[in-house]
Amino acid sequence: MSDRRYNILSTTSLPFERINHIPDSINISVIPFIKIVPSADEKIKTQINDFTSEKINVIFTSVHAVKTVKEFSVHKPDWRIYCIGKETRSEVENWIGRDAIDGSADNAKALSGIIIAGNVNKAVFFCGDQRMNTLPEILNNQGIKLTELIVYDTLATPVKIQYLPDAILFFSPTAVKSFFSLNELSAETTVFAMGTTTNAALKQFTGNPVIVSPVADKAFVFNMAVEYAASHPIL
């Protein structure tokens, strides 16, 4: 067995405050391949603050949307919130409170079902410019009126990596495209993806097998990679 440490590369930041333990045999590198830029449009900021004074249904599909809306809000709103992922839910709870969340799920299809079952007639959807179409299409087909506000942009920040990792973690299609614009993977690199849309993007660039997380949570994906490393030691 080799004394070399197992190298894991994450293509975005990780919530290390929720990761209990990293074995000494693991070396983790974080290289962001995307950058989140909050909207500079004053009209968007005004609309957000107008909504904070209303009792409305609100949808968040990313933690970035929650953070941006929170940053732009002058006071805490009284909203019924539907969200995707543990990190997004945690951010909502820390800002507004657990009681504000009427529904959460690990993917857009599941969250759409919860919203439909809740007899929601209309909602405000805070999102980024690269948001997926799944949720809006399902809700629109059910006659649910969505007011969509793009509150941040996702920019590619490609970097040429100087080594081949043993495992690599992807969390969004944009990060996938950014990474492969300058890099290739070794056939021996194990690939982890959060979500089916990220997995679909990976299939366009690599033939490596992809291990897809059933949970929309960065810490969960990282722990999957750690468990994989423990059962696949470097020889």
Side-chain angles (χ1 to χ4, degrees), residues 164-175:
L164 294 175
D166 299 299
I168 186 166
L169 318 180
F170 288 101
F171 302 92
S172 73
T174 306

Side-chain angles (χ1 to χ4, degrees), residues 162-203:
Q162 302 303 314
Y163 70 99
L164 294 175
D166 299 299
I168 186 166
L169 318 180
F170 288 101
F171 302 92
S172 73
T174 306
V176 170
K177 295 173 186 176
S178 178
F179 176 87
F180 284 100
S181 68
L182 291 181
N183 301 283
E184 296 181 355
L185 287 180
S186 162
E188 287 74 40
T189 299
T190 305
V191 184
F192 293 83
M194 185 174 77
T196 55
T197 54
T198 302
N199 181 37
L202 281 163
K203 296 301 184 184

Side-chain angles (χ1 to χ4, degrees), residues 17-51:
E17 70 279 2
R18 294 196 295 111
I19 295 172
N20 296 326
H21 175 66
I22 301 176
D24 292 337
S25 59
I26 299 290
N27 179 61
I28 175 67
S29 299
V30 177
I31 303 177
F33 281 83
I34 59 171
K35 180 180 180 181
I36 303 301
V37 181
S39 174
D41 190 338
E42 290 299 325
K43 291 182 179 179
I44 294 294
K45 296 179 183 179
T46 299
Q47 284 181 286
I48 289 172
N49 278 298
D50 286 345
F51 281 129

Side-chain angles (χ1 to χ4, degrees), residues 9-138:
L9 171 62
S10 175
T11 56
T12 193
S13 61
L14 291 170
F16 286 107
E17 70 279 2
R18 294 196 295 111
I19 295 172
N20 296 326
H21 175 66
I22 301 176
D24 292 337
S25 59
I26 299 290
N27 179 61
I28 175 67
S29 299
V30 177
I31 303 177
F33 281 83
I34 59 171
K35 180 180 180 181
I36 303 301
V37 181
S39 174
D41 190 338
E42 290 299 325
K43 291 182 179 179
I44 294 294
K45 296 179 183 179
T46 299
Q47 284 181 286
I48 289 172
N49 278 298
D50 286 345
F51 281 129
T52 59
S53 62
E54 301 178 24
K55 291 188 176 183
I56 56 175
N57 300 304
V58 166
I59 300 170
F60 290 113
T61 56
S62 79
V63 68
H64 305 301
V66 181
K67 290 180 177 179
T68 302
V69 172
K70 177 183 177 181
E71 178 185 341
F72 291 162
S73 298
V74 294
H75 62 268
K76 187 184 298 185
D78 181 14
W79 291 339
R80 295 176 58 199
I81 295 175
Y82 298 86
C83 58
I84 289 177
K86 289 187 177 180
E87 195 173 5
T88 306
R89 182 185 178 105
S90 177
E91 191 70 26
V92 171
E93 290 178 353
N94 290 337
W95 174 31
I96 304 177
R98 184 174 299 179
D99 292 343
I101 300 175
D102 267 23
S104 65
D106 286 325
N107 57 69
K109 185 176 180 181
L111 185 65
S112 298
I114 293 171
I115 294 170
I116 293 166
N119 295 317
V120 173
N121 296 317
K122 59 182 180 179
V124 176
F125 179 25
F126 294 114
C127 60
D129 64 320
Q130 300 294 320
R131 68 108 173 103
M132 298 295 103
N133 293 325
T134 306
L135 184 140
E137 287 181 353
I138 293 174

